[in-house]
Amino acid sequence: MTGEPVTTLHDFQLSMLHPMCRSAPAQAAELLDRIGATRADTAIAEARWWFGNATNNFTTITEYVSAWGAPDSENIEGDGARETRSARWDLPFWPGMQFEFTAIGRYPRLFHRLLRQPGVPVPQLDSIDNLTPWSCTQAEFLNSGLGPFDQDIDLGSIGNRIDFEAVDPESGRRRPYRALFDWGLLQSVEPVLVRLSKPNPAPVAIDETPIDELILTGQTGRAVLRIHAEIEGNGYAAIAEYQLRHARLARERPNDFVLDEPADRLSRRR
């Protein structure tokens, strides 16, 4: 990475803010005024992050520590190829929020998520009226009493849409809505006027490989997808459960891990 530009944590937050200037313009304008930046600054930061920067291609937490400084909190379980390491940085643009990277074993990608600092209370999320821009993270939304949700295991950074049903405050009847998330932060909730029926998916072969064996052989993508289906939760819950199972196997069966490169890959969405 020598000689390539490195995005600071401040610039990374500017890049996060750029899509929000479209999806939550009032909140973004207020934040830009607070930090003394312009929308053009966010556009430059985003272009640098996605297209001209080494930082976006980092594959280890150590590289982010070099670029952003020491994390505000860090957790390590296991060791060597069985190590699970998470690091969180506070986000001054969004007080009370943190950005976390997690490295699992020899898997060549970092998982990331937006979450609240420990001890910061989660707001009440039991009605449409509570779902205001920037009021909750995607994980908090999916763990609320709303729903049911219609979503895939999509951990993309920008423009993630989740359809769900909730009570209309005006009519008192249930109706469909769509929530928009950028970087795991709620941007807007709008009623869905017409919901098109989805075609029935083609049948797929059932993967019967034990999840523990998938983890031990480094097949992270398949393992996360299997856990996602098993627990009937959201993608973030599936990754958290994967981390717990990986840590348990590292303690109970440390010699059973296959140390070759993982056989599969989770696609990274930009």
Side-chain angles (χ1 to χ4, degrees), residues 213-230:
E213 295 307 312
L214 294 175
I215 296 173
L216 290 169
T217 54
Q219 299 184 68
T220 304
R222 287 176 62 191
V224 170
L225 289 172
R226 286 285 308 283
I227 293 171
H228 180 261
E230 179 182 282

Side-chain angles (χ1 to χ4, degrees), residues 95-109:
M97 294 292 184
Q98 293 181 318
F99 199 80
E100 177 188 77
F101 282 109
T102 297
I104 300 177
R106 293 171 62 91
Y107 191 68
R109 300 291 188 196

Side-chain angles (χ1 to χ4, degrees), residues 18 38 59 78 94 112 124 133-134 152 163 165 171 173 179 206 226 238 243 245 253 256 262 268:
H18 183 61
T38 66
T59 59
W94 295 275
H112 66 74
Q124 183 175 344
W134 298 5
D152 299 318
D163 291 340
E165 291 186 355
S171 68
R173 298 178 180 177
I206 298 176
R226 286 285 308 283
Q243 292 174 292
R245 298 189 188 195
R253 302 172 59 183
D256 291 341
R268 181 178 60 170

